[in-house]
Amino acid sequence: ASDVYKRQVHVMASRSPANLSVADKLFDIQQKLPTGRSFVESLTATQTKGFLILKDNVVLAEFYDNGFSQNKTQLLQSSSKTYAGIIASKLIDAGKLDPNKTVESYLLDFKGSRIGKVKVQHVLDMQSGLLPATDYHVPGGEAFMFEIEQGLKPGDPTGHRKAIINTKTQNAPGEVYTYNDKNTDLLAILAEEITGQHFNKLLSDTFDDFGATSNGSIALTVDGTASPAYGISCTLRDYALFHQWIAEGKAPKSFYTSVQDVDKDLLAESEKGKGIKAALGTPITYGSQGWYLPEHKIVLSFGSYGLVGFSDLDRGISVVFMQDWEDNGVAEKLADTVARALFVIDELGTTNDLGRSKE
C-alpha cells in the first residue's frame, strides 16, 4: 500500500446537478442470459460492486454489493483516461490545442526529447511509440517504475514530469498502438500548460458539463500534479452520468470524430486487438483515450479490476459496471461484462415499457 489515497484533491460536483429519477418498471436483473445463468448471477460471478443503467436521467437498474453504496466513490483506474481524452478534446474544439502539433510546441522543457517530437494526436491515441506498459507487477518494468512516480508504489522517484520527458520509445509515432500511462498524464500536463489551470479545476468543469451529483477526487503524483491515467474517483451514478453525456452526443465533437475514426486506429489489426476481438466476439478500436465497438456504435472506458462504462451512441443509453476482479485484466470477465452490456442495450432497444419515471 502507498499514501496514494492521502494524496488527492477534490473534484467538484456540478453547479446544476442532474435530477435523476427511478423508472417505474426496472430492468429485470433476475432474467436469464443466453448462457442460461441469470443476470444477477453473472454480476456476482464477476464481483460486481456497482451496476447501473441510465437513459434520459432515468435510472433503469441499480445494483450494489461488496460493501459499496450509492454515496461512496470508487477509484476509476484506467477508466480515468477517457476523462483526460475528453478534456483534451474540449481544448481542441476551442482551438487551444492542435492535435497535429508536437508536444514540444506547447511544452518547452520537452524540446529535444523523443516524446517532445510526437504529435498530440498520437499521444491521444496511444500511438506515440512508447514502450508497452503492462508490467505493473514486475519490479523494474516500465509500468512498475512509472507507478512510483505516480505515487502508487514505494520507491525512489525521480520526478513525474521528468520520467515522461526521459521516457524511452521503441517505435516511430503512428507505427503501433502501445498502451502507456505516460500518454495520459502528458495530456494533463498539456492541458494545465495551455489553460493555466490545475487539472482538477478542468475536471470539475467537465463534472459540471455532465451534471455530476457528488464531489469526486483525483490522485496526485510525487510532483503534486494530477494523474488522470488512473486517479479519478467518483460515485457509480456520476460514472453513469458521464457515459450518458457521451451517449447523448454532448461530448466534444473532436472526441467523436477521433474515437470513431477506425481508419487511423492501430489497435484492431494488431495482435493485441485481434486477441481482444476473439475474446469479446466483436472488433474493438481505440482513439482519444476511449475504446470503441464499431459494430455497435458504443464508446467504452475501461479500467483495471473491472471498471467498465458503455455509451450507446444510437440510443443515448449508458451502462456502467464497478467490479472487484482479482487482477488488472481478466479476459473472461471482461468478455462477460461486454456481453452483459450488449444484452442490456439490445433488450432496451426492443422494449417500450421501461424508462417511465415514478411520479
Short mmCIF file of all heavy atoms in Angstrom, two decimals, residues 84-103 105-107 119-121 123-124 186-191 193-195 254:
data_model
loop_
_atom_site.label_atom_id
_atom_site.label_comp_id
_atom_site.label_asym_id
_atom_site.label_seq_id
_atom_site.Cartn_x
_atom_site.Cartn_y
_atom_site.Cartn_z
N ALA A 84 -9.59 12.32 -19.42
CA ALA A 84 -8.48 13.12 -19.93
C ALA A 84 -8.62 13.34 -21.43
O ALA A 84 -8.34 14.43 -21.94
CB ALA A 84 -7.15 12.45 -19.61
N GLY A 85 -9.06 12.31 -22.14
CA GLY A 85 -9.29 12.45 -23.58
C GLY A 85 -10.38 13.47 -23.88
O GLY A 85 -10.28 14.24 -24.84
N ILE A 86 -11.40 13.50 -23.03
CA ILE A 86 -12.49 14.47 -23.19
C ILE A 86 -11.98 15.89 -22.97
O ILE A 86 -12.30 16.81 -23.73
CB ILE A 86 -13.64 14.14 -22.22
CG1 ILE A 86 -14.38 12.86 -22.64
CG2 ILE A 86 -14.60 15.32 -22.08
CD1 ILE A 86 -15.24 13.00 -23.86
N ILE A 87 -11.18 16.09 -21.93
CA ILE A 87 -10.67 17.43 -21.62
C ILE A 87 -9.76 17.92 -22.73
O ILE A 87 -9.84 19.08 -23.15
CB ILE A 87 -9.97 17.42 -20.25
CG1 ILE A 87 -11.02 17.28 -19.14
CG2 ILE A 87 -9.13 18.69 -20.05
CD1 ILE A 87 -10.46 17.07 -17.76
N ALA A 88 -8.90 17.05 -23.25
CA ALA A 88 -8.05 17.44 -24.38
C ALA A 88 -8.92 17.78 -25.59
O ALA A 88 -8.64 18.74 -26.32
CB ALA A 88 -7.08 16.31 -24.72
N SER A 89 -9.99 17.02 -25.81
CA SER A 89 -10.88 17.26 -26.95
C SER A 89 -11.62 18.59 -26.80
O SER A 89 -11.87 19.28 -27.80
CB SER A 89 -11.88 16.11 -27.09
OG SER A 89 -11.21 14.89 -27.35
N LYS A 90 -11.97 18.97 -25.56
CA LYS A 90 -12.58 20.28 -25.34
C LYS A 90 -11.63 21.39 -25.77
O LYS A 90 -12.06 22.38 -26.38
CB LYS A 90 -12.95 20.44 -23.85
CG LYS A 90 -14.14 19.61 -23.42
CD LYS A 90 -14.37 19.68 -21.91
CE LYS A 90 -14.86 21.03 -21.46
NZ LYS A 90 -15.18 21.05 -20.01
N LEU A 91 -10.35 21.21 -25.47
CA LEU A 91 -9.35 22.23 -25.85
C LEU A 91 -9.16 22.25 -27.36
O LEU A 91 -8.93 23.32 -27.95
CB LEU A 91 -8.03 21.95 -25.14
CG LEU A 91 -8.06 22.11 -23.61
CD1 LEU A 91 -6.74 21.67 -23.01
CD2 LEU A 91 -8.38 23.55 -23.23
N ILE A 92 -9.26 21.08 -27.99
CA ILE A 92 -9.17 21.03 -29.46
C ILE A 92 -10.36 21.76 -30.08
O ILE A 92 -10.20 22.58 -31.00
CB ILE A 92 -9.11 19.56 -29.94
CG1 ILE A 92 -7.77 18.92 -29.53
CG2 ILE A 92 -9.30 19.47 -31.46
CD1 ILE A 92 -7.71 17.42 -29.73
N ASP A 93 -11.56 21.49 -29.58
CA ASP A 93 -12.76 22.15 -30.09
C ASP A 93 -12.68 23.66 -29.92
O ASP A 93 -13.19 24.43 -30.76
CB ASP A 93 -14.01 21.62 -29.39
CG ASP A 93 -14.49 20.29 -29.95
OD1 ASP A 93 -13.72 19.65 -30.69
OD2 ASP A 93 -15.62 19.89 -29.63
N ALA A 94 -12.03 24.09 -28.83
CA ALA A 94 -11.92 25.52 -28.54
C ALA A 94 -10.79 26.19 -29.32
O ALA A 94 -10.60 27.41 -29.21
CB ALA A 94 -11.72 25.74 -27.05
N GLY A 95 -10.04 25.40 -30.09
CA GLY A 95 -8.94 25.96 -30.87
C GLY A 95 -7.70 26.25 -30.07
O GLY A 95 -6.79 26.93 -30.55
N LYS A 96 -7.64 25.73 -28.84
CA LYS A 96 -6.49 25.99 -27.98
C LYS A 96 -5.42 24.90 -28.08
O LYS A 96 -4.28 25.11 -27.64
CB LYS A 96 -6.96 26.11 -26.52
CG LYS A 96 -7.88 27.30 -26.29
CD LYS A 96 -8.34 27.36 -24.84
CE LYS A 96 -9.27 28.55 -24.60
NZ LYS A 96 -9.74 28.60 -23.19
N LEU A 97 -5.79 23.76 -28.61
CA LEU A 97 -4.86 22.63 -28.75
C LEU A 97 -5.00 22.07 -30.16
O LEU A 97 -6.10 21.71 -30.58
CB LEU A 97 -5.18 21.55 -27.71
CG LEU A 97 -4.32 20.28 -27.71
CD1 LEU A 97 -2.86 20.60 -27.40
CD2 LEU A 97 -4.87 19.26 -26.71
N ASP A 98 -3.88 22.02 -30.87
CA ASP A 98 -3.88 21.49 -32.23
C ASP A 98 -3.35 20.06 -32.19
O ASP A 98 -2.20 19.83 -31.85
CB ASP A 98 -2.98 22.35 -33.12
CG ASP A 98 -3.02 21.93 -34.59
OD1 ASP A 98 -3.42 20.79 -34.88
OD2 ASP A 98 -2.61 22.73 -35.44
N PRO A 99 -4.20 19.07 -32.51
CA PRO A 99 -3.77 17.67 -32.41
C PRO A 99 -2.64 17.32 -33.36
O PRO A 99 -1.96 16.31 -33.17
CB PRO A 99 -5.04 16.89 -32.73
CG PRO A 99 -5.88 17.83 -33.53
CD PRO A 99 -5.59 19.19 -33.00
N ASN A 100 -2.41 18.14 -34.38
CA ASN A 100 -1.36 17.86 -35.35
C ASN A 100 -0.04 18.55 -35.03
O ASN A 100 0.94 18.39 -35.75
CB ASN A 100 -1.83 18.26 -36.75
CG ASN A 100 -2.96 17.38 -37.24
OD1 ASN A 100 -2.87 16.16 -37.18
ND2 ASN A 100 -4.05 17.99 -37.68
N LYS A 101 -0.01 19.32 -33.95
CA LYS A 101 1.24 19.92 -33.49
C LYS A 101 1.95 18.97 -32.54
O LYS A 101 1.34 18.07 -31.95
CB LYS A 101 0.97 21.26 -32.81
CG LYS A 101 0.68 22.39 -33.77
CD LYS A 101 0.67 23.73 -33.04
CE LYS A 101 0.51 24.88 -34.01
NZ LYS A 101 0.52 26.19 -33.31
N THR A 102 3.26 19.19 -32.38
CA THR A 102 4.05 18.32 -31.50
C THR A 102 3.91 18.76 -30.05
O THR A 102 3.54 19.90 -29.74
CB THR A 102 5.53 18.36 -31.89
OG1 THR A 102 6.01 19.71 -31.75
CG2 THR A 102 5.73 17.87 -33.31
N VAL A 103 4.25 17.84 -29.17
CA VAL A 103 4.22 18.11 -27.73
C VAL A 103 5.13 19.28 -27.39
O VAL A 103 4.77 20.18 -26.61
CB VAL A 103 4.62 16.85 -26.94
CG1 VAL A 103 4.84 17.17 -25.47
CG2 VAL A 103 3.58 15.75 -27.11
N SER A 105 5.86 21.78 -29.03
CA SER A 105 5.30 23.06 -29.45
C SER A 105 4.62 23.77 -28.28
O SER A 105 4.51 25.01 -28.27
CB SER A 105 4.27 22.87 -30.57
OG SER A 105 4.84 22.27 -31.70
N TYR A 106 4.16 23.00 -27.32
CA TYR A 106 3.46 23.54 -26.17
C TYR A 106 4.28 23.50 -24.89
O TYR A 106 4.08 24.32 -24.00
CB TYR A 106 2.15 22.76 -25.94
CG TYR A 106 1.17 22.89 -27.09
CD1 TYR A 106 1.09 21.91 -28.07
CD2 TYR A 106 0.34 24.00 -27.19
CE1 TYR A 106 0.19 22.03 -29.13
CE2 TYR A 106 -0.57 24.13 -28.24
CZ TYR A 106 -0.63 23.15 -29.21
OH TYR A 106 -1.51 23.28 -30.25
N LEU A 107 5.20 22.54 -24.78
CA LEU A 107 5.98 22.34 -23.55
C LEU A 107 7.46 22.52 -23.86
O LEU A 107 8.10 21.61 -24.41
CB LEU A 107 5.70 20.95 -22.97
CG LEU A 107 4.23 20.62 -22.68
CD1 LEU A 107 4.10 19.15 -22.30
CD2 LEU A 107 3.68 21.52 -21.58
N LYS A 119 3.31 14.02 -32.17
CA LYS A 119 2.09 14.82 -32.32
C LYS A 119 1.12 14.52 -31.18
O LYS A 119 1.05 13.40 -30.67
CB LYS A 119 1.41 14.52 -33.65
CG LYS A 119 2.15 15.04 -34.87
CD LYS A 119 1.39 14.71 -36.15
CE LYS A 119 2.11 15.23 -37.38
NZ LYS A 119 1.38 14.92 -38.63
N VAL A 120 0.36 15.54 -30.81
CA VAL A 120 -0.63 15.40 -29.74
C VAL A 120 -1.62 14.29 -30.06
O VAL A 120 -2.01 13.51 -29.18
CB VAL A 120 -1.36 16.74 -29.51
CG1 VAL A 120 -2.54 16.56 -28.56
CG2 VAL A 120 -0.38 17.80 -28.99
N GLN A 121 -2.04 14.16 -31.33
CA GLN A 121 -3.00 13.12 -31.69
C GLN A 121 -2.44 11.73 -31.42
O GLN A 121 -3.16 10.83 -31.00
CB GLN A 121 -3.40 13.23 -33.16
CG GLN A 121 -4.57 12.31 -33.54
CD GLN A 121 -5.86 12.66 -32.82
OE1 GLN A 121 -6.33 13.79 -32.91
NE2 GLN A 121 -6.43 11.71 -32.10
N VAL A 123 -0.36 11.01 -29.05
CA VAL A 123 -0.45 10.84 -27.60
C VAL A 123 -1.87 10.43 -27.22
O VAL A 123 -2.08 9.53 -26.40
CB VAL A 123 -0.04 12.14 -26.88
CG1 VAL A 123 -0.22 12.01 -25.37
CG2 VAL A 123 1.42 12.49 -27.20
N LEU A 124 -2.85 11.09 -27.80
CA LEU A 124 -4.25 10.77 -27.53
C LEU A 124 -4.58 9.32 -27.87
O LEU A 124 -5.36 8.66 -27.16
CB LEU A 124 -5.16 11.70 -28.34
CG LEU A 124 -5.40 13.09 -27.77
CD1 LEU A 124 -5.90 14.05 -28.84
CD2 LEU A 124 -6.40 13.04 -26.62
N LEU A 186 0.61 12.95 -19.67
CA LEU A 186 1.12 14.02 -20.51
C LEU A 186 -0.01 14.93 -21.00
O LEU A 186 0.16 16.15 -21.09
CB LEU A 186 1.89 13.44 -21.70
CG LEU A 186 2.43 14.42 -22.74
CD1 LEU A 186 3.28 15.52 -22.10
CD2 LEU A 186 3.25 13.68 -23.80
N LEU A 187 -1.17 14.36 -21.27
CA LEU A 187 -2.33 15.17 -21.66
C LEU A 187 -2.71 16.15 -20.55
O LEU A 187 -3.09 17.30 -20.83
CB LEU A 187 -3.52 14.28 -22.00
CG LEU A 187 -3.39 13.42 -23.25
CD1 LEU A 187 -4.61 12.51 -23.38
CD2 LEU A 187 -3.23 14.28 -24.51
N ALA A 188 -2.61 15.70 -19.30
CA ALA A 188 -2.92 16.59 -18.17
C ALA A 188 -1.91 17.72 -18.10
O ALA A 188 -2.26 18.89 -17.83
CB ALA A 188 -2.94 15.80 -16.87
N ILE A 189 -0.63 17.41 -18.31
CA ILE A 189 0.41 18.44 -18.31
C ILE A 189 0.16 19.46 -19.42
O ILE A 189 0.28 20.67 -19.22
CB ILE A 189 1.80 17.78 -18.45
CG1 ILE A 189 2.13 16.95 -17.19
CG2 ILE A 189 2.88 18.83 -18.69
CD1 ILE A 189 3.37 16.10 -17.32
N LEU A 190 -0.19 18.97 -20.60
CA LEU A 190 -0.51 19.86 -21.73
C LEU A 190 -1.71 20.75 -21.40
O LEU A 190 -1.69 21.97 -21.65
CB LEU A 190 -0.81 19.03 -22.97
CG LEU A 190 0.38 18.48 -23.74
CD1 LEU A 190 -0.07 17.38 -24.70
CD2 LEU A 190 1.09 19.59 -24.52
N ALA A 191 -2.75 20.16 -20.83
CA ALA A 191 -3.97 20.92 -20.52
C ALA A 191 -3.68 22.01 -19.50
O ALA A 191 -4.19 23.14 -19.62
CB ALA A 191 -5.06 19.98 -20.02
N GLU A 193 -0.76 23.48 -18.96
CA GLU A 193 0.09 24.48 -19.59
C GLU A 193 -0.73 25.43 -20.47
O GLU A 193 -0.55 26.66 -20.45
CB GLU A 193 1.16 23.79 -20.45
CG GLU A 193 2.08 24.73 -21.21
CD GLU A 193 3.03 25.50 -20.32
OE1 GLU A 193 3.32 25.02 -19.20
OE2 GLU A 193 3.47 26.59 -20.72
N ILE A 194 -1.64 24.86 -21.24
CA ILE A 194 -2.43 25.65 -22.18
C ILE A 194 -3.42 26.57 -21.48
O ILE A 194 -3.62 27.72 -21.87
CB ILE A 194 -3.16 24.71 -23.16
CG1 ILE A 194 -2.15 24.06 -24.12
CG2 ILE A 194 -4.25 25.45 -23.95
CD1 ILE A 194 -2.71 22.89 -24.87
N THR A 195 -4.04 26.08 -20.42
CA THR A 195 -5.11 26.83 -19.74
C THR A 195 -4.62 27.66 -18.56
O THR A 195 -5.31 28.60 -18.14
CB THR A 195 -6.21 25.89 -19.24
OG1 THR A 195 -5.64 25.00 -18.25
CG2 THR A 195 -6.80 25.07 -20.38
N SER A 254 -14.70 16.81 -31.51
CA SER A 254 -13.44 16.18 -31.92
C SER A 254 -13.24 14.83 -31.26
O SER A 254 -12.55 13.96 -31.80
CB SER A 254 -12.26 17.10 -31.62
OG SER A 254 -12.18 17.40 -30.24
#
